[in-house]
Amino acid sequence: MTDTPQTTLQKLCHTLQLSETAVQALNIDPNSPFPLKVPAEFLAQIQPNQPNDPLLQQILPLQIEHQTAEGFNQDPVNDLTFNPTPSLIHKYQGRVLLIASPKCDVHCRYCFRRHFPYSEHANTRHWQKALDYIAQDHSIHEVILSGGDPMSLSEKSLVQLIKEIEAIPHIKTLRIHSRTPVVSPSKAPTQALIAWAKQTRLNKVLVIHCNHANELSHQTEQLFSLYKSVGFHLLNQSVLLKNINDQVKILEALSHKLFDQGVLPYYLNQLDRVQGATHFEVDTHTAKLLHNQLRTRLPGYLLPKLVQDLVNKPYKTPLI
Ligand code: SF4
């Protein structure tokens, strides 16, 4: 797959018909070291002339990202403490996470790995060492492909990696975490991945990352249906984001639309306290209240678990 052509801030403002006054009021940071990156399909889901659009707010680099706050840092979930070999994170029992790619199709401003030292970790030359580590530890039964976004790899590289994981006898499940099916549905791998999925012995889980119902389209529905037809279990995890999805009706609509498209809501994550994302944080008390309201509106199978990745806990911590 080729990398996404870059949308400049100027082009974005023009496409979304944002007036100069609206742009000034947003207080954009055109020189962010984590620059604007947004694929055309995601851009098309943003409402024109709406500076507060919840999708736009997820991708616009703003000056407020320079704000610092106690507890916010560059490695908020302590990834680098649980890193037995480059590319691999072994934090939880029975499963490992492989940083398969340094790239994503989109730059989400709240990304907990926005400062991750990808140059030292996400490289195909590290894969063999990571695979050797997995092969020698028989307690590992699940491999999670993450990143960056594993679906930003070429389809050939992705399937080659998956086949090498499949060849390790004690691995039972492959889980792919990817935002590509949501933000670039036409670009997510299909042919070779689907061909592999039809005949593999592994359980297959695809966790999409969707924060708002407006991110879902007819294209995402078709793609999810394709993955489901070859046996992928489809789950969603969202991040609770201030002024984006911190209203009960928005979260309720998200759960319903996910289910309409064949995806089960799985986690609603409290924000990982990454430097640059202070303005997205919803305090824990409010998050719990919201979740309790959501519980009264949704059947249990559509209620995502409210969790937080707390450092030094060997699991995602339920907040309620
Ligand atoms: S797609 Fe995921 S890894 Fe990539 S920038 Fe967004 S949150 Fe971060």
Side-chain angles (χ1 to χ4, degrees):
M1 271 160 285
T2 52
D3 202 7
T4 309
Q6 296 297 292
T7 301
T8 61
L9 277 165
Q10 216 176 6
K11 196 168 151 202
L12 175 139
C13 294
H14 177 73
T15 308
L16 297 178
Q17 301 158 29
L18 293 172
S19 68
E20 215 167 292
T21 325
V23 173
Q24 269 172 10
L26 284 167
N27 212 1
I28 291 171
D29 179 3
N31 303 313
S32 171
F34 185 52
L36 172 80
K37 189 174 187 187
V38 57
E41 287 165 284
F42 193 77
L43 197 57
Q45 296 296 113
I46 299 174
Q47 298 295 312
N49 196 17
Q50 294 291 334
N52 294 323
D53 180 279
L55 276 52
L56 179 62
Q57 294 296 322
Q58 292 181 54
I59 51 108
L60 262 190
L62 301 179
Q63 294 291 351
I64 198 169
E65 291 175 20
H66 294 286
Q67 184 173 276
T68 55
E70 205 185 327
F72 282 74
N73 62 59
Q74 298 207 343
D75 182 14
V77 298
N78 232 358
D79 272 344
L80 297 172
T81 308
F82 300 92
N83 180 219
T85 182
S87 289
L88 205 67
I89 295 169
H90 193 179
K91 198 187 284 189
Y92 302 143
Q93 195 179 342
R95 52 215 189 266
V96 286
L97 185 146
L98 184 65
I99 303 280
S101 168
K103 289 185 187 166
C104 299
D105 245 35
V106 65
H107 282 172
C108 313
R109 308 316 304 173
Y110 53 83
C111 178
F112 72 105
R113 290 209 180 105
R114 57 181 287 172
H115 306 288
F116 191 80
Y118 285 113
S119 57
E120 295 160 33
H121 288 271
N123 194 307
T124 49
R125 76 190 148 88
H126 299 314
W127 286 0
Q128 193 51 55
K129 233 176 159 183
L131 290 164
D132 291 345
Y133 177 92
I134 298 166
Q136 57 78 36
D137 186 340
H138 288 240
S139 71
I140 300 169
H141 53 78
E142 178 173 9
V143 176
I144 302 162
L145 297 187
S146 181
D149 194 319
M151 287 198 180
S152 66
L153 285 170
S154 74
E155 188 164 25
K156 190 168 164 234
S157 299
L158 178 64
V159 173
Q160 181 200 328
L161 174 62
I162 288 173
K163 285 183 174 168
E164 287 179 31
I165 292 166
E166 185 184 29
I168 301 172
H170 52 270
I171 299 304
K172 293 193 171 90
T173 300
L174 176 85
R175 187 182 347 156
I176 302 175
H177 276 248
S178 176
R179 191 146 157 75
T180 301
V182 174
V183 301
S184 292
S186 68
K187 216 179 132 192
T190 49
Q191 286 186 354
L193 185 62
I194 295 299
W196 167 82
K198 279 181 178 165
Q199 50 72 47
T200 181
R201 66 174 181 84
L202 295 180
N203 299 313
K204 305 169 290 290
V205 183
L206 174 60
V207 182
I208 62 159
H209 291 209
C210 178
N211 299 315
H212 195 287
N214 291 4
E215 296 171 29
L216 300 171
S217 61
H218 181 55
Q219 284 73 24
T220 59
E221 186 171 16
Q222 286 185 319
L223 182 64
F224 300 158
S225 164
L226 180 63
Y227 285 132
K228 277 194 79 151
S229 71
V230 293
F232 274 95
H233 299 276
L234 296 189
L235 303 173
N236 179 59
Q237 66 174 37
S238 310
V239 182
L240 184 59
L241 297 165
K242 195 171 191 171
N243 297 327
I244 290 173
N245 60 9
D246 58 338
Q247 288 180 37
V248 71
K249 63 176 195 288
I250 292 176
L251 293 170
E252 183 187 10
L254 173 61
S255 276
H256 281 299
K257 196 154 178 188
L258 285 165
F259 192 56
D260 288 345
Q261 299 206 353
V263 183
L264 280 177
Y266 162 52
Y267 278 157
L268 176 61
N269 287 284
Q270 256 299 62
L271 181 82
D272 295 320
R273 307 188 89 198
V274 66
Q275 196 175 301
T278 55
H279 55 299
F280 287 118
E281 189 171 51
V282 176
D283 67 80
T284 304
H285 177 69
T286 307
K288 288 180 183 177
L289 282 178
L290 256 175
H291 194 265
N292 270 330
Q293 288 170 8
L294 198 58
R295 189 189 298 279
T296 65
R297 295 186 181 213
L298 289 170
Y301 60 90
L302 290 188
L303 184 71
K305 292 188 190 82
L306 178 65
V307 294
Q308 186 157 27
D309 197 338
L310 296 173
V311 291
N312 303 326
K313 290 277 185 188
Y315 46 77
K316 291 260 165 59
T317 307
L319 292 182
I320 206 160

